[in-house]
Amino acid sequence: MMYFKRMVHYHCISLLKYRATKILLLSLCLWLLIFEYCRFHLWRDPHSAFFNDHHVYDLKYSLYRELQSRHFISRYNSPSEPPHYSKSGPEPLICAAFVTVRRNQDDYFDPSVGSLLEGLDTMERQALYLNVLFADTDPTRHPSWAQKWLDRLVDNARSYNVSQETLDHLGRLETERKFYEKGVFDYTYALTACKQANASYTIIFEDDIILATGWMTKTLKALADIDRIT
């Protein structure tokens, strides 16, 4: 038995002297490091092989991201002069539109926009044209209407620019709670506004979402991949 152990030990030591063995062991260690990195960083990505659905729907990250977004908005909503901020460039690639209405309970509009913008670098922000439609016939009812951060961060934020007849019709839809019909009008209106930005792509967002860090980077990469194969 002792002889067998010595022989195994001897052959193991001998194998370690070979360059191929060292390369194999180094490759194995590198593979394990990459595997653990991906397992730790990509478990939230539903398109990843490392996706883990056990805790992905916990609100821990969403709450953290919401806090980040609210802090970002508050920096540009203070009476004092905020840090310099670059908006859309002359030729944006994407027009992102938010259609927002006053809510009776929780209002997520501010952190929704904050999560869209927080973390973007200058090039990413210049590739994005941000359009906001306040879809209340009386926009002053909305708590974010006329807030300082809108002028400082958003490229275009306004309510309806329609005839009085159309505005009266929209008011009746609000009163009669015909939200489906009014919603179709609102989204069409937002799409038309985005068309004027001459962006190649348009995204319509709800006003109660939280976007993850790096969403723009992934979107630009996906669009580049689509352009490459079409």
Side-chain angles (χ1 to χ4, degrees), residues 73-116:
I73 292 294
S74 67
R75 291 176 63 197
Y76 290 90
N77 204 41
S78 63
S80 59
E81 190 67 22
H84 173 71
Y85 186 79
S86 297
K87 294 186 182 180
S88 175
E91 297 181 354
L93 179 66
I94 298 172
C95 177
F98 277 90
V99 178
T100 182
V101 295
R102 179 182 179 274
R103 297 178 181 271
N104 293 327
Q105 297 180 353
D106 295 331
D107 179 55
Y108 296 105
F109 173 64
D110 289 15
S112 294
V113 177
S115 68
L116 180 90

Side-chain angles (χ1 to χ4, degrees), residues 48-89:
S48 168
F50 299 90
F51 178 69
N52 186 336
D53 62 355
H54 290 303
H55 300 289
V56 73
Y57 300 110
D58 293 347
L59 293 178
K60 184 177 180 180
Y61 176 76
S62 296
L63 293 174
Y64 168 74
R65 186 66 178 149
E66 181 182 348
L67 181 63
Q68 273 188 320
S69 305
R70 289 189 183 277
H71 177 68
F72 177 79
I73 292 294
S74 67
R75 291 176 63 197
Y76 290 90
N77 204 41
S78 63
S80 59
E81 190 67 22
H84 173 71
Y85 186 79
S86 297
K87 294 186 182 180
S88 175

Side-chain angles (χ1 to χ4, degrees), residues 2-15:
M2 289 296 296
Y3 174 77
F4 176 75
K5 290 182 178 180
R6 288 177 182 175
M7 288 298 295
V8 171
H9 179 73
Y10 171 78
H11 285 295
C12 288
I13 296 297
S14 299
L15 285 173

Side-chain angles (χ1 to χ4, degrees), residues 133-137 158-162 167 170 174 182 185-186 189:
L133 170 64
F134 286 91
D136 293 291
T137 51
R158 63 180 62 183
S159 186
Y160 301 112
N161 182 18
V162 295
L167 191 63
L170 293 174
E174 283 182 344
K182 185 174 181 297
F185 179 92
D186 292 341
Y189 192 94

Side-chain angles (χ1 to χ4, degrees), residues 20-223:
T21 304
K22 294 178 180 178
I23 293 175
L24 177 63
L25 291 175
L26 181 61
S27 300
L28 179 61
C29 291
L30 183 61
W31 182 87
L32 288 173
L33 286 173
I34 295 174
F35 179 85
E36 286 301 313
Y37 176 87
C38 293
R39 190 172 67 88
F40 181 78
H41 288 277
L42 301 179
W43 67 275
R44 292 182 181 275
D45 188 349
H47 303 290
S48 168
F50 299 90
F51 178 69
N52 186 336
D53 62 355
H54 290 303
H55 300 289
V56 73
Y57 300 110
D58 293 347
L59 293 178
K60 184 177 180 180
Y61 176 76
S62 296
L63 293 174
Y64 168 74
R65 186 66 178 149
E66 181 182 348
L67 181 63
Q68 273 188 320
S69 305
R70 289 189 183 277
H71 177 68
F72 177 79
I73 292 294
S74 67
R75 291 176 63 197
Y76 290 90
N77 204 41
S78 63
S80 59
E81 190 67 22
H84 173 71
Y85 186 79
S86 297
K87 294 186 182 180
S88 175
E91 297 181 354
L93 179 66
I94 298 172
C95 177
F98 277 90
V99 178
T100 182
V101 295
R102 179 182 179 274
R103 297 178 181 271
N104 293 327
Q105 297 180 353
D106 295 331
D107 179 55
Y108 296 105
F109 173 64
D110 289 15
S112 294
V113 177
S115 68
L116 180 90
L117 298 177
E118 197 280 331
L120 299 186
D121 61 32
T122 302
M123 291 184 62
E124 290 174 336
R125 182 60 183 91
Q126 290 182 346
L128 178 71
Y129 184 90
L130 178 54
N131 178 68
V132 172
L133 170 64
F134 286 91
D136 293 291
T137 51
D138 178 11
T140 60
R141 297 175 61 245
H142 197 292
S144 298
W145 176 256
Q147 293 291 312
K148 293 181 181 298
W149 67 266
L150 287 169
D151 289 334
R152 294 168 174 175
L153 297 177
V154 177
D155 298 296
N156 182 41
R158 63 180 62 183
S159 186
Y160 301 112
N161 182 18
V162 295
S163 66
Q164 187 61 47
E165 180 182 0
T166 301
L167 191 63
D168 292 341
H169 174 66
L170 293 174
R172 287 193 296 272
L173 294 180
E174 283 182 344
T175 302
E176 297 170 7
R177 302 181 66 82
K178 294 182 178 179
F179 299 129
Y180 177 80
E181 182 179 348
K182 185 174 181 297
V184 172
F185 179 92
D186 292 341
Y187 286 114
T188 303
Y189 192 94
L191 286 170
T192 302
C194 267
K195 186 177 180 180
Q196 297 173 359
N198 294 320
S200 301
Y201 301 93
T202 298
I203 307 174
I204 303 292
F205 288 109
E206 296 285 347
D207 64 347
D208 57 354
I209 62 171
I210 295 293
L211 285 89
T213 303
W215 76 269
M216 185 62 165
T217 302
K218 294 179 180 179
T219 301
L220 292 176
K221 182 182 182 303
L223 292 176

